[in-house]
Amino acid sequence: MLLNQFLILGALLFAVGVYGVLARRNGVMVLMSIELMLNAVNINLVVFGVQHGVVSGQVFALFVIAVAAAEVGVGLAIVLLLYRNRTSIDVEDFDLMRG
Amino acid sequence: MVAQNIFFGIIAAIVVVSALRMVTTRNIVHAALYLVAVLGGLGALYILLTAEFVATTQVLVYIGAVMVLFLFGIMLTKAPLGNAMEMTGAQWPIAVVVSVLLGGVTVCSLVAHFGSDRLVTDGPIFRTADVSDEVFSTYIIPFEAISVLLLAALIGAIVLARKD
């Protein structure tokens, strides 16, 4: 197996996640796309751990998974709060900072 | 070696197609289910890379916990189910350009730098015991920090989502 096939898969997933974050209007969908980007990074961590024969790659991947779990918890709480206050989770409705 | 390449091809195709459908589908519940396919496929790739503990954690934490959170989020916010163009904003052509450029530049630089490097397949295989040894020795302080982070995030989520 080539090293590059894993790295390119990670790069493609990251690009798809960026598209999701930029193009989607639903707040929950934006959070899901962020999860996609975090997973793309995890592939790189694990594959470089294998390539260099160290266990640190797997440990970092586990840390990223833990941080992603914390992130999605707080993120969904924020989306829920936005929905309660504005009865909308369309990210284009939140333009309070526009001059 | 050939079998591994075949399995990689199948899994990678499933993952990429599911990811593309996830960001383009019009139904948000379908998007959540496509995300399950992506996460499951990545778990299979971790098995292929002999990282079985990461694969188990991926299934338990992502497919188990995070997906339930997402489904709760979808239901609690009463997202419009199956509403066609509502899901993608008017700026989607710019988003396509940005992500194609980002992916293209990343892939080109990867090809230029790693070329046809082989993946080291005869290296050491790390069992779960090795992972836990590393976590509880070298990375004990980050581990404790991440425990506190999870606790803080949990309390923060409760405080944010409380009714009063």
Side-chain angles (χ1 to χ4, degrees), chain B:
Chain B
M1 196 52 62
V2 177
Q4 287 174 0
N5 274 322
I6 293 171
F7 275 111
F8 176 86
I10 296 171
I11 297 167
I14 293 173
V15 166
V16 171
V17 170
S18 303
L20 284 173
R21 288 293 293 143
M22 189 199 108
V23 293
T24 52
T25 183
R26 296 169 171 193
N27 186 326
I28 187 164
V29 178
H30 289 178
L33 296 179
Y34 281 121
L35 185 58
V36 169
V38 173
L39 299 174
L42 292 181
L45 281 186
Y46 295 148
I47 297 272
L48 202 62
L49 287 167
T50 68
E52 84 265 2
F53 186 65
V54 181
T56 317
T57 314
Q58 172 96 359
V59 172
L60 285 179
V61 174
Y62 270 117
I63 303 180
V66 170
M67 284 319 300
V68 172
L69 265 182
F70 274 128
L71 290 175
F72 267 114
I74 291 169
M75 286 187 280
L76 286 174
T77 52
K78 300 185 187 66
L81 295 178
N83 196 342
M85 297 318 287
E86 193 74 12
M87 295 278 290
T88 304
Q91 74 281 19
W92 70 269
I94 308 173
V96 170
V97 171
V98 169
S99 63
V100 166
L101 276 179
L102 180 71
V105 169
T106 318
V107 169
C108 285
S109 62
L110 284 175
V111 170
H113 193 267
F114 292 107
S116 54
D117 288 4
R118 313 286 307 174
L119 183 68
V120 177
T121 46
D122 52 356
I125 290 181
F126 297 110
R127 298 168 301 130
T128 306
D130 301 318
V131 178
S132 70
D133 280 348
E134 190 80 357
V135 169
F136 289 109
S137 60
T138 315
Y139 295 103
I140 182 70
I141 293 180
F143 176 75
E144 296 295 340
I146 223 158
S147 312
V148 177
L149 173 79
L150 269 175
L151 180 68
L154 194 71
I155 296 173
I158 293 172
V159 170
L160 281 177
R162 218 169 42 159
K163 268 277 190 279
D164 51 73

Side-chain angles (χ1 to χ4, degrees), chain A residues 1 3-4 22-25 35, chain B residues 25 62 87 89 91 115 119:
Chain A
M1 285 187 291
L3 174 62
N4 246 344
L22 291 179
R24 291 302 228 180
R25 291 175 61 183
E35 293 299 312
Chain B
T25 183
Y62 270 117
M87 295 278 290
Q91 74 281 19
L119 183 68

